[in-house]
Amino acid sequence: MKIPSEKDTIYSIAHEAVGAFQFDESVVAVFPDMIQRSVPGYQTILTGIGELTKLHAQPDSNLYDLGCSLGAASLTMRRALQVNGCRIIGVDNSEAMIKRANEYLHAYHSDIPVDLFCADINDLEILDASVVVINFTLQFIDPDQRLPLLHRIYQGLKPGGILILSEKIHFQDVALQQSIEHMHLQFKRANGYSELEISQKRSSLDNVLISDTENEHLQRLKQAGFASAGIWFQAYNFASFLAIKSL
Ligand SMILES: Nc1ncnc2c1ncn2[C@@H]1O[C@H](C[S@+](CC[C@H]([NH3+])C(=O)[O-])CC(=O)[O-])[C@@H](O)[C@H]1O
Ligand SMILES: O=C(O)C(=O)Cc1ccccc1
């Protein structure tokens, strides 16, 4: 099932002062369109989440979707699951997102239980997990809370369990950063965003979306306990990491 969406026109009108980006009702209505037109490789990453779920989900375990928004990754995992006794747990701290996600997830019958909670993922207990997805959400978490959160994910995973972490990244090298950021901007232009929309959204994400480099992510994953960690997908400045807890 495809999650329906209105067209994202949130930043199409000039504002004197652009407020900080929020996952409120207005964003919820346009979110699938917004993420599709803003994040190169988003759909391919969802397909990969399905494949990795088929490969790594363990019987009688929990699958987590942290910062689930409208539940796209939860839906993908539910479709991909081939083992018995699993439960999917989606968490987001936006009430508007969780309300809408519940409508989509429960529109079709499935024998696989999916429970969605409105909560801060920093307060979440992670238990008996075989697959944990955090798709474009760590970048919105207070940088000081990132390692503690990854630690808790590692502790909550079963041996052989996996973490799929997708993020917007930046590059230490200025020339590389400029070229790759240019390609992302061209992607947004090609998807119909105007210069005004692009610049107003960029202002709204200032100090809200705080990206790390590939190295910072890999170091942190190691520090959290993961012996195996690497990028399995990258499109411009958007990357998805796979980290595996040893058996
Ligand atoms: N502390 C927090 N606790 C819980 N949720 C949070 C927190 N901070 C932010 N969020 C939530 O994280 C989500 C990030 S969007 C994820 C896309 C989705 N994963 C997808 O695969 O479609 C990514 C993006 O918009 O770039 C939003 O729904 C926030 O409410
Ligand atoms: O739009 C952007 O420029 C982004 O960096 C990605 C994004 C997508 C959806 C919500 C917030 C950020």
Side-chain angles (χ1 to χ4, degrees):
M1 177 212 180
K2 213 166 166 296
I3 299 174
S5 184
E6 290 168 32
K7 185 176 162 107
D8 169 24
T9 56
I10 289 182
Y11 295 104
S12 60
I13 295 164
H15 293 277
E16 261 178 47
V18 179
F21 191 86
Q22 283 184 353
F23 292 97
D24 56 17
E25 300 274 0
S26 64
V27 167
V28 166
V30 303
F31 188 72
D33 180 69
M34 172 186 278
I35 199 154
Q36 188 74 42
R37 287 163 66 212
S38 307
V39 176
Y42 175 72
Q43 206 52 245
T44 309
I45 289 173
L46 285 179
T47 305
I49 288 171
E51 291 302 330
L52 289 167
T53 299
K54 280 184 200 158
L55 198 60
H56 294 279
Q58 301 176 27
D60 305 313
S61 68
N62 294 321
L63 288 77
Y64 288 88
D65 180 2
L66 307 180
C68 61
S69 298
L70 298 177
S74 294
L75 275 166
T76 302
M77 292 195 285
R78 184 168 77 176
R79 234 180 271 131
L81 265 175
Q82 294 172 334
V83 293
N84 293 323
C86 289
R87 174 181 178 219
I88 298 170
I89 297 150
V91 180
D92 201 291
N93 66 354
S94 158
E95 190 86 60
M97 285 286 189
I98 289 291
K99 191 168 169 278
R100 200 62 86 80
N102 260 313
E103 293 169 14
Y104 299 139
L105 270 151
H106 298 118
Y108 288 93
H109 170 79
S110 165
D111 289 331
I112 299 161
V114 181
D115 295 309
L116 301 177
F117 299 103
C118 183
D120 189 321
I121 58 180
N122 291 308
D123 303 329
L124 183 72
E125 191 178 32
I126 295 162
L127 283 175
D128 295 326
S130 61
V131 179
V132 176
V133 171
I134 177 159
N135 210 30
F136 301 108
T137 298
L138 195 68
Q139 61 200 19
F140 296 109
I141 301 290
D142 176 352
D144 291 339
Q145 296 299 317
R146 293 178 188 182
L147 180 58
L149 173 60
L150 291 196
H151 251 132
R152 275 187 297 112
I153 292 172
Y154 183 81
Q155 293 302 330
L157 277 168
K158 289 165 164 284
I162 64 163
L163 166 64
I164 303 167
L165 165 68
S166 312
E167 290 273 288
K168 184 177 194 175
I169 59 171
H170 68 266
F171 302 85
Q172 214 53 264
D173 185 285
V174 174
L176 208 61
Q177 172 62 26
Q178 282 178 351
S179 288
I180 296 175
E181 195 183 6
H182 172 81
M183 290 198 281
H184 177 227
L185 292 183
Q186 288 298 85
F187 173 85
K188 292 186 75 159
R189 290 177 183 123
N191 284 329
Y193 283 119
S194 67
E195 299 310 310
L196 179 68
E197 287 178 291
I198 290 172
S199 78
Q200 293 196 130
K201 175 134 183 239
R202 178 198 288 243
S203 308
S204 80
L205 287 171
D206 253 0
N207 298 316
V208 174
L209 190 169
I210 302 170
S211 64
D212 295 314
T213 63
E214 172 183 355
N215 239 330
E216 285 167 331
H217 280 294
L218 291 174
Q219 290 302 323
R220 193 186 291 125
L221 287 165
K222 288 261 143 77
Q223 261 182 290
F226 292 99
S228 308
I231 289 184
W232 66 273
F233 180 84
Q234 186 171 344
Y236 308 146
N237 47 343
F238 291 81
S240 191
F241 299 83
L242 172 63
I244 308 178
K245 182 167 178 171
S246 306
L247 282 169

